Amino acid sequence: MIRLLSQLQKSRSPARVTNLVVKMPQIIAHRYNATVTVDQYFEPMHPLLLKRAENLSNEFEDLEKQMSLGAFDQETSIKFSNVSIVLDLYNSYVRDLENLKGLVDIVNEETDAELISEAESEIETLVPLLQACSQNVQKRLLPVLKHSDKPAILELRPGVGGSEAAIFTKDLLNMYIAIAHFNRWPHTIVSEGENSAGFMNEAIISIDAPGAYNILRHESGVHRVQRVPATEVKGRIHTSTAAVVVLPKISEGTEQSLADDERQFSPSEIRIDTMRAGGKGGQHVNTTDSAVRIVHLPTGITVMQQDERSQPRNKAKAFSILRARLAQLEREKEVAEQKKLRTDQVTTTDRSDKIRTYNYSQNRVTDHRCGHLIHDLPGFMAGTKFAELVERLEETEFEDRLQNLIAQENCK
Amino acid sequence: MARLTLNLLRRANAINPQLVPLLKATRSLQLAIAELRWIKQELPRSQWTDAIRKRAQLVPLQYILGSQPFGSLDILCSPGVLIPRWETEEWCMKLVDVLRSAAVSDISVLDACTGSGCIPLLLKKELPALQVLAVDLSDKALHLALENMRRANVTIDVQKVDVLNYNAVPEQRFTLVTSNPPYIPASDFDKPLLLNGVDASVRLHEPRMALVGHLEFYRALARDIVPACHSEGVVLELGYEDQYLETIANLPLNWSHGRYFDLAGNLRCAIAWKNGSSMECLGRLVNENQSHP
Ligand SMILES: C[S@@+](CC[C@H](N)C(=O)[O-])C[C@H]1O[C@@H](n2cnc3c(N)ncnc32)[C@H](O)[C@@H]1O
């Protein structure tokens, strides 16, 4: 049983153990008079992360010194508070681990049965706390990825499946609006495009809460739906898809941000088309066509906006989307670099990867990356189950990143 | 301009019959879809049918909806007064940016031929320390400019002045003169769009007085108004190279100048400034040496 428990703990990520009811090995330990060890209750943090924590405490001392010498700039102050939060958590981790060791010693060395059982019950309350704390510290010790603090822009487009794919895209758009509502995130629909048959062919929504990108970025990829379309007379189940791209939002995309956005690019780097080149323009023309297309020449990224009656507004939106796409590229590069060292397990999520299936007839949502199932499709579409899934995805990602870090340090 | 094929009309009808009359004005299905959406967004349901009917008669959508965005403002539009153009909005926003970053945002500005008041109101809204006078000869324009001023919640002076009458020019200092005077030569006004002429909708529904004009305005602005107002810089919207040449030929001697091209690649403004003055910053608007689309 002791073995079982420790196996169980080892085989799971630290995050998942948190929710586990810890079964104590007390009786068995006594009957056979075996020695218990800390490892049986709890898998300590990876030594590499411990090393990072050490480095952080050096950094903290440096920062303290700088500030006592008069460095009160915002950057230093933000760093100071961030580092101090991590260190605080780390210190309580170290303290709790010490306590656990002490309690384990009591169990091993004491002969007084009452004391032992008291120690055991203390262990029982301590272990979950320690696990939660360790998970929290470990997450914060991993290097922060670029743009994690940014709001998000989501682009949705139908994939295979014709009009049913377009309808599903609209459903997904409503789902993200529901998620935003549920989390009280401000949001706006940047644009909604229809093809000439009247079906949605693109939707862009901006979720304007700082850090929204870090939560929603897991949505990037192909979403698949299996259901009987409303238009299907024979009652057959169809499979269609929609693609979602999540970008970090860099610029507001308003008249106010436009001048600054334009300054980010040299004239030779971008080409801006209006949809009615030719003709004298100006007073000669009073068309309402204010579509703008921006082409970023080095990457070939093309953004077109036409929903607004004002051309500068369309242009500002297009710039905002362009900058978000470029920022996303930058971030993908960073992630790829961190993964480069682990040739054995390249898990970059390709944009063409199916990440999730929405099965209506079985009332089930399956996320293929973490294998998590949600048996409440309406609840998921209403945004109430989203946090649950994100938690699971982050656990999976956390392990992956930890492995990357270890591989990287080993190569040094 | 695309021809209205039966096929296009049929496709529009299949999506939504309301698009068919709109196609007469927009000639493009995409744009008809957009206009229908704007009509439904901005007008009460009871007015939709009437709006679509008017649009089919080429009444500008901006008159039907009653306004047009202009930078951060929403400018009221009504028949008898020119609808603000995106080209004007574009240079006006750039001008705001230039004045702001050059920290010359507390100067006095004269906007001649102000129409709806879009130019001076946006300048004042974005740079509240400016002193602004807007002038026009049309009573309808002056009336609408005042209404737009209240709507924008700023204060500027508005006066009735004939820009072409030297004696009527106010004797006041204005560091900067902006203007979008009528610049369509009478000979072009009745030509079709393809031959440098104007959109049927413009010809039928916008005021001729706001549109037809030529070198006389640029001569009056550069030769008479600039010296009378001791100005140090001008931004004059225009549509023809001749108008640019007329402007620079009439400016005082110690001035520099350059062309500004709009996003569609058309020559759109004459930019000029007195050497050594605070208005040298206007040089940043000149883009004649950059590549154009
Ligand atoms: C092309 S519109 C420009 C309106 C506005 N500034 C804009 O950009 O939308 C030209 C304006 O000049 C006015 N105008 C025409 N002749 C004029 C004159 N002799 N003196 C003053 N204003 C005149 C017209 O009434 C019209 O409002």
Side-chain angles (χ1 to χ4, degrees):
Chain A
M1 174 123 189
I2 302 171
R3 282 237 58 84
L4 254 179
L5 179 65
S6 82
Q7 290 265 303
L8 194 64
Q9 292 194 352
K10 282 213 169 90
S11 68
R12 288 180 177 243
S13 77
R16 268 181 232 176
V17 185
T18 343
N19 307 329
L20 201 78
V21 181
V22 182
K23 295 206 178 98
M24 304 307 294
Q26 41 192 3
I27 302 166
I28 299 169
H30 275 280
R31 194 170 297 155
Y32 302 105
N33 207 16
T35 322
V36 290
T37 64
V38 171
D39 294 12
Q40 286 163 358
Y41 296 102
F42 173 73
E43 186 178 4
M45 260 180 355
H46 193 278
L48 264 172
L49 287 175
L50 294 178
K51 217 169 91 194
R52 269 191 73 85
E54 298 280 299
N55 292 344
L56 268 191
S57 80
N58 292 340
E59 193 179 325
F60 185 72
E61 276 170 30
D62 277 355
L63 284 169
E64 226 176 4
K65 230 179 265 163
Q66 280 175 35
M67 287 176 77
S68 63
L69 290 174
F72 302 123
D73 56 299
Q74 205 182 359
E75 202 185 326
T76 316
S77 143
I78 289 176
K79 234 192 209 161
F80 182 83
S81 89
N82 284 345
V83 173
S84 71
I85 291 172
V86 185
L87 278 185
D88 237 7
L89 279 166
Y90 176 69
N91 289 339
S92 63
Y93 167 80
V94 172
R95 192 194 57 224
D96 287 353
L97 192 60
E98 280 308 310
N99 288 342
L100 181 63
K101 278 182 190 149
L103 290 167
V104 165
D105 285 349
I106 292 176
V107 173
N108 283 332
E109 285 153 28
E110 273 299 328
T111 46
D112 182 342
E114 202 171 315
L115 238 168
I116 290 177
S117 97
E118 214 174 284
E120 282 169 344
S121 90
E122 283 227 15
I123 290 176
E124 196 168 347
T125 37
L126 187 58
V127 167
L129 290 177
L130 192 54
Q131 277 157 346
C133 177
S134 129
Q135 184 207 348
N136 208 341
V137 185
Q138 297 195 59
K139 244 193 219 163
R140 286 168 193 265
L141 282 174
L142 284 173
V144 178
L145 286 171
K146 254 193 199 119
H147 307 313
S148 295
D149 55 337
K150 298 286 191 297
I153 292 177
L154 275 69
E155 303 183 343
L156 287 72
R157 294 182 189 85
V160 295
S163 57
E164 162 67 358
I167 293 166
F168 177 55
T169 308
K170 182 106 190 164
D171 293 339
L172 283 184
L173 176 66
N174 288 333
M175 178 182 89
Y176 291 121
I177 292 172
I179 289 170
H181 272 303
F182 189 74
N183 289 289
R184 294 169 193 276
W185 292 331
H187 59 278
T188 48
I189 293 182
V190 178
S191 69
E192 253 179 291
E194 283 173 359
N195 64 14
S196 54
F199 283 107
M200 171 174 281
N201 59 10
E202 182 185 85
I204 300 180
I205 176 172
S206 163
I207 312 276
D208 296 307
Y213 171 70
N214 200 37
I215 301 171
L216 289 163
R217 68 197 162 83
H218 302 289
E219 295 302 294
S220 273
V222 173
H223 297 236
R224 179 170 68 169
V225 65
Q226 292 176 320
R227 66 180 173 194
V228 182
T231 49
E232 164 67 52
V233 277
K234 292 188 185 135
R236 282 176 303 201
I237 290 180
H238 286 222
T239 299
S240 342
T241 63
V244 176
V245 178
V246 183
L247 309 169
K249 184 170 180 179
I250 305 298
S251 135
E252 275 307 309
T254 59
E255 293 97 31
Q256 283 74 25
S257 66
L258 181 56
D260 181 54
D261 287 336
E262 288 188 283
R263 270 193 283 277
Q264 304 298 317
F265 301 93
S266 79
S268 60
E269 216 179 344
I270 49 172
R271 199 186 75 219
I272 306 179
D273 304 328
T274 57
M275 294 306 133
R276 53 201 142 102
K280 291 213 64 83
Q283 291 170 11
H284 295 69
V285 173
N286 65 8
T287 170
T288 54
D289 185 352
S290 44
V292 173
R293 182 173 61 205
I294 304 183
V295 185
H296 183 250
L297 300 169
T299 57
I301 293 176
T302 302
V303 186
M304 153 107 171
Q305 282 297 300
Q306 57 184 8
D307 272 20
E308 295 281 343
R309 286 213 279 138
S310 145
Q311 184 167 79
R313 265 179 222 174
N314 281 327
K315 193 168 153 194
K317 281 181 171 184
F319 264 115
S320 164
I321 295 165
L322 172 63
R323 290 191 66 187
R325 290 203 193 150
L326 289 170
Q328 174 68 12
L329 273 186
E330 196 180 51
R331 174 160 163 141
E332 277 167 13
K333 227 161 107 200
E334 191 184 48
V335 172
E337 243 146 54
Q338 288 187 7
K339 287 197 169 160
K340 212 161 48 195
L341 295 158
R342 274 179 77 216
T343 39
D344 56 328
Q345 200 188 341
V346 184
T347 51
T348 32
T349 31
D350 202 299
R351 281 198 183 160
S352 59
D353 282 353
K354 249 182 248 63
I355 59 159
R356 195 178 296 150
T357 297
Y358 302 73
N359 189 316
Y360 276 69
S361 56
Q362 294 174 17
N363 187 29
R364 189 182 66 199
V365 178
T366 313
D367 197 286
H368 305 299
R369 294 162 297 182
C370 61
H372 191 59
L373 296 180
I374 288 180
H375 293 279
D376 175 11
L377 195 141
F380 192 77
M381 299 308 279
T384 55
K385 299 274 163 144
F386 185 62
E388 172 186 331
L389 180 60
V390 169
E391 201 175 302
R392 305 307 291 268
L393 285 166
E394 289 196 330
E395 286 163 17
T396 313
E397 186 192 63
F398 170 73
E399 267 181 81
D400 199 46
R401 287 194 65 199
L402 191 58
Q403 295 307 322
N404 275 318
L405 190 73
I406 293 166
Q408 251 177 4
E409 298 281 337
N410 287 345
C411 284
K412 274 187 188 159
Chain B
M1 188 175 275
R3 273 195 34 184
L4 279 185
T5 62
L6 276 179
N7 180 27
L8 188 63
L9 290 168
R10 211 169 22 239
R11 263 169 55 209
N13 184 46
I15 299 169
N16 185 341
Q18 289 171 316
L19 293 172
V20 176
L22 288 178
L23 265 181
K24 283 206 184 121
T26 67
R27 306 260 148 180
S28 121
L29 191 50
Q30 278 294 337
L31 195 52
I33 291 172
E35 288 203 355
L36 185 59
R37 196 179 61 239
W38 292 324
I39 287 172
K40 293 186 176 178
Q41 270 168 5
E42 298 186 25
L43 296 178
R45 180 181 281 269
S46 59
Q47 291 174 25
W48 291 354
T49 311
D50 197 42
I52 293 166
R53 190 183 51 74
K54 279 194 188 140
R55 188 69 183 120
Q57 291 161 9
L58 306 186
V59 175
L61 187 72
Q62 298 89 333
Y63 287 157
I64 296 171
L65 300 180
S67 71
Q68 170 64 24
F70 194 84
S72 53
L73 299 178
D74 208 34
I75 294 288
L76 297 173
C77 298
S78 69
V81 184
L82 190 100
I83 297 159
R85 305 293 199 254
W86 69 263
E87 289 92 337
T88 311
E89 182 186 17
E90 189 189 29
W91 68 250
C92 201
M93 286 172 70
K94 291 196 167 155
L95 177 59
V96 166
D97 188 45
V98 163
L99 295 178
R100 189 180 276 145
S101 35
V104 285
S105 44
D106 56 353
I107 53 168
S108 52
V109 182
L110 170 69
D111 181 56
C113 303
T114 201
S116 60
C118 53
I119 301 168
L121 290 174
L122 184 62
L123 293 177
K124 179 72 183 176
K125 184 84 193 177
E126 296 296 324
L127 307 167
L130 292 180
Q131 289 279 328
V132 183
L133 172 64
V135 302
D136 202 288
L137 190 53
S138 144
D139 289 326
K140 275 190 184 159
L142 293 167
H143 188 78
L144 190 65
L146 284 172
E147 220 176 309
N148 273 316
M149 178 182 91
R150 280 188 286 273
R151 193 173 156 92
N153 207 7
V154 296
T155 309
I156 62 169
D157 291 321
V158 178
Q159 280 179 28
K160 183 166 178 170
V161 169
D162 181 354
V163 170
L164 298 178
N165 176 1
Y166 181 75
N167 298 320
V169 174
E171 283 187 33
Q172 243 177 292
R173 283 180 172 268
F174 290 101
T175 319
L176 172 65
V177 175
T178 58
S179 185
N180 176 16
Y183 58 63
I184 303 175
S187 54
D188 276 356
F189 190 72
D190 295 314
K191 282 186 196 161
L193 192 63
L194 277 177
L195 304 172
N196 277 351
V198 303
D199 245 344
S201 167
V202 174
R203 193 181 311 117
L204 289 170
H205 297 284
E206 291 195 87
R208 192 184 164 101
M209 175 189 174
L211 295 157
V212 175
H214 196 28
L215 305 180
E216 65 279 12
F217 280 97
Y218 299 92
R219 199 179 311 131
L221 285 160
R223 191 192 60 196
D224 306 334
I225 295 184
V226 162
C229 299
H230 303 279
S231 301
E232 299 177 341
V234 296
V235 179
L236 309 181
E237 184 173 325
L238 43 76
Y240 298 78
E241 174 74 11
D242 288 356
Q243 297 166 349
Y244 176 74
L245 298 175
E246 185 70 17
T247 304
I248 60 171
N250 283 287
L251 283 170
L253 278 179
N254 53 339
W255 278 51
S256 301
H257 45 78
R259 295 174 180 80
Y260 162 86
F261 291 82
D262 65 29
L263 187 56
N266 290 317
L267 172 62
R268 192 53 66 205
C269 292
I271 314 283
W273 59 93
K274 185 175 168 182
N275 295 330
S277 76
S278 64
M279 287 296 100
E280 278 193 331
C281 62
L282 296 178
R284 283 187 40 206
L285 290 170
V286 174
N287 58 4
E288 61 184 286
N289 299 317
Q290 292 167 19
S291 54
H292 308 293

